[in-house]
């Protein structure tokens, strides 16, 4: 359900009130039933929120939202305000979801946004869902992948400073990131993905004119190794043209070297269409590609498009089809 003080409850209710979503998957919420009922009232959604104790008790019916109710939020929790209580609850929702997924009781996880400051205030020192889920599932290394109808991008580094990101990038990390992206794109139905790999410097270094040879040192050896494995990885590419080429269909996936290099183009394309996928986990995880939006939380106006798309992609990637 995400952070209960943000728009997570509203986008969850809004998405699950759509009968078409129930044709995609059998949704079960991990969260707070009372908060979801309040969100339904704010949205004017004609749904029944029903607390269940287990997956087996859920009925997965249109017009009904089944929720494993952890009951961690006070009834008077303000909307749109930073709360350590909400941060702790958001952590526990993810923990329970991860346990269910690892146990095979659910086939995928789809996350509403949490608030990093609230998470930290609750004593959980993770930059976000990606790193939290890696820790909960005992996964040493994962990659953040953003997916839109036009462009998909996976990141070599994410939530670290730019100077630290450049220092961290090395051929092994680049190669592992590309392999995770290659596997994810193949899982989505593309048998032979074409992958464009961005450079670090402007114009991908312009043959040594910009930077200190980072492309040749950190990226080129990885590309040579990947091509030898049969992976069609091309680059290093100037980032300012790579996304244009991907948008017109030249590439199935773009590999960004750092956070803003990948995030900015995707968000220009429309945040409501974006989905965040964590590549490399032992479970399927997708997420909305927006934050807790405290400025509009509690107004019932949050757009649910990204949540619906995240649910669709989670269902598409899930290892088990359900009817």
């Amino acid at each position: 359900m995400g952070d209960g003080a943000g728009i997570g409850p509203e986008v969850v209710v809004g998405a699950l009130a759509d009968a078409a979503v129930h044709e995609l998957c059998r949704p079960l919420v991990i969260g707070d039933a009372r908060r979801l009922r309040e969100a339904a009232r704010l949205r004017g959604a004609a749904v029944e929120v029903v607390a269940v104790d287990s997956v087996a008790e859920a009925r997965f019916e249109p017009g009904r939202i089944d929720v494993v109710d952890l009951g961690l939020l006070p009834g008077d929790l303000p909307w749109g305000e930073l709360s350590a209580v909400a941060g702790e609850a958001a952590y526990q929702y993810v923990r329970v979801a991860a346990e269910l997924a690892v146990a095979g009781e659910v086939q995928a996880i789809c996350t509403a946004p949490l608030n990093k400051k609230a998470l930290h205030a609750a004593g959980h020192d993770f930059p976000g869902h990606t790193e939290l889920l890696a820790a909960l599932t005992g996964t040493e290394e994962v990659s953040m992948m953003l997916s839109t109808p036009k462009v998909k991008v996976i990141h070599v580094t994410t939530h670290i400073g730019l100077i630290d990101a450049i220092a961290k990038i090395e051929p092994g990390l680049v190669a592992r990131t590309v392999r995770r992206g290659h596997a994810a794109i193949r899982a989505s139905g593309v048998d032979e993905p074409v992958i464009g790999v961005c450079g670090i410097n402007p114009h991908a270094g312009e043959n040594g004119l910009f930077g200190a040879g980072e492309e040749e040192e950190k990226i080129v050896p990885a590309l040579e190794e990947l091509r030898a494995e049969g992976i069609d990885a091309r680059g290093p590419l100037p980032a300012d043209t790579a996304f244009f080429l991907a948008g017109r269909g030249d590439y199935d996936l773009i590999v960004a070297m750092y956070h803003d290099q990948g995030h900015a183009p995707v968000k220009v394309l429309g945040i409501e269409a974006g989905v965040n996928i964590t590549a490399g986990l032992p479970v399927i995880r997708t997420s909305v590609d927006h934050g807790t939006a405290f400025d509009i939380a509690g107004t019932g106006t949050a757009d649910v498009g990204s949540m619906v798309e995240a649910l669709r992609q989670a269902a598409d990637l899930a290892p088990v089809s359900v009817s």
Side-chain angles (χ1 to χ4, degrees):
M1 190 184 79
D3 190 301
I7 63 171
E10 297 174 61
V11 297
V12 167
V13 166
L16 300 191
D18 184 348
V21 167
H22 291 262
E23 298 177 6
L24 300 173
C25 61
R26 298 190 295 176
L28 173 69
V29 183
I30 313 299
D32 185 283
R34 179 167 52 188
R35 196 62 162 180
L36 290 168
R37 293 187 187 108
E38 175 64 11
R41 184 190 67 78
L42 290 168
R43 295 195 69 93
V47 294
E48 179 187 13
V49 177
V50 180
V52 298
D53 292 326
S54 66
V55 178
E57 290 185 15
R59 286 165 43 183
F60 311 114
E61 298 172 351
R64 168 183 165 127
I65 297 177
D66 297 300
V67 53
V68 174
D69 182 13
L70 300 192
L72 299 174
L73 298 180
D76 60 353
L77 179 75
W79 293 96
E81 295 182 16
L82 185 72
S83 166
V85 172
E88 175 64 26
Y91 171 85
Q92 296 299 336
Y93 305 152
V94 178
R95 178 188 61 78
V96 172
E99 289 175 355
L100 291 173
V102 169
E105 293 190 57
V106 299
Q107 285 72 50
I109 300 170
C110 182
T111 55
L114 53 72
N115 184 282
K116 296 178 180 63
K117 289 184 179 179
L119 190 67
H120 295 169
H124 303 291
D125 192 20
F126 297 95
H129 273 117
T130 302
E131 297 82 2
L132 171 55
L133 281 162
L136 289 171
T137 59
T139 307
E140 185 174 341
E141 189 175 270
V142 296
S143 297
M144 179 186 291
M145 180 173 165
L146 302 182
S147 175
T148 74
K150 281 192 172 183
V151 174
K152 292 178 173 59
V153 55
I154 193 167
H155 297 71
V156 175
T157 66
T158 49
H159 296 126
I160 56 177
L162 184 55
I163 292 174
D164 295 330
I166 293 170
K168 183 176 181 178
I169 296 167
E170 51 86 20
L173 178 58
V174 172
R176 293 192 300 275
T177 302
V178 173
R179 291 188 191 104
R180 283 189 284 270
H182 182 263
I185 296 298
R186 290 198 64 189
S188 71
V190 180
D191 291 334
E192 298 182 2
V194 179
I195 301 173
V197 181
C198 291
I200 296 171
N201 295 296
H203 299 188
E206 192 79 52
N207 297 315
L209 182 62
F210 305 125
E214 288 87 357
E215 281 74 19
E216 290 296 322
E217 174 191 347
K218 296 171 176 285
I219 300 174
V220 170
L223 296 178
E224 293 173 348
E225 180 180 327
L226 291 162
R227 290 170 191 146
E229 297 172 7
I231 294 175
D232 190 352
R234 305 178 187 182
L237 304 173
D240 57 354
T241 58
F243 288 91
F244 165 75
L245 296 174
R248 75 178 188 186
D250 292 18
Y251 298 105
D252 299 299
L253 177 68
I254 293 293
V255 180
M257 291 296 125
Y258 52 90
H259 184 282
D260 286 10
Q261 188 182 62
H263 275 63
V266 168
K267 293 190 175 181
V268 166
L269 289 171
I271 195 169
E272 72 281 352
V275 173
N276 187 331
I277 300 170
T278 304
L281 288 173
V283 299
I284 300 300
R285 179 259 173 166
T286 68
S287 177
V288 295
D289 187 27
H290 58 70
T292 48
F294 280 171
D295 57 326
I296 63 168
T299 66
T301 61
D303 190 294
V304 304
S306 186
M307 176 56 77
V308 172
E309 181 62 16
L311 286 163
R312 185 189 69 78
Q313 294 203 35
D316 286 347
L317 293 168
V320 178
S321 297
V322 294
S323 59

